[in-house]
Amino acid sequence: MSLNLQTIRDKVEFFESSSLEQLEADIQKKIEQNEALMLGVHHVQHHVHTRSENGRSIYTAVVHFRAVPTP
């Protein structure tokens, strides 16, 4: 078994939800988890898509995390 201690510098995560509140909660939970890895939010991009079959909205987001600079 090998253990790799390489630092994560960039990480991109994708989110999807049927409600904006749930999407925000999912992103906030992931932000807290990534803070433990010394990663902070660099950029957030979000979209709303409406399905033509049923008219429901789907909320999506892409969050780019980057390593927090050490002083």
Side-chain angles (χ1 to χ4, degrees):
M1 183 171 151
S2 153
L3 183 61
N4 186 352
L5 298 176
Q6 195 171 19
T7 304
I8 299 173
R9 298 191 193 285
D10 283 293
K11 183 178 180 184
V12 177
E13 299 208 30
F14 302 88
F15 300 89
E16 180 179 314
S17 180
S18 59
S19 74
L20 187 56
E21 293 79 15
Q22 184 60 47
L23 182 69
E24 290 175 350
D26 293 345
I27 292 171
Q28 186 60 40
K29 181 178 177 183
K30 191 53 81 169
I31 288 171
E32 291 169 3
Q33 291 173 354
N34 283 324
E35 284 176 347
L37 299 173
M38 301 294 290
L39 296 173
V41 175
H42 175 67
H43 181 77
V44 177
Q45 184 176 1
H46 53 86
H47 297 280
V48 178
H49 302 279
T50 304
R51 292 187 174 179
S52 58
E53 310 89 50
N54 57 13
R56 291 186 150 187
S57 296
I58 298 294
Y59 301 90
T60 61
V62 178
V63 182
H64 181 189
F65 295 94
R66 275 204 176 156
V68 176
T70 55

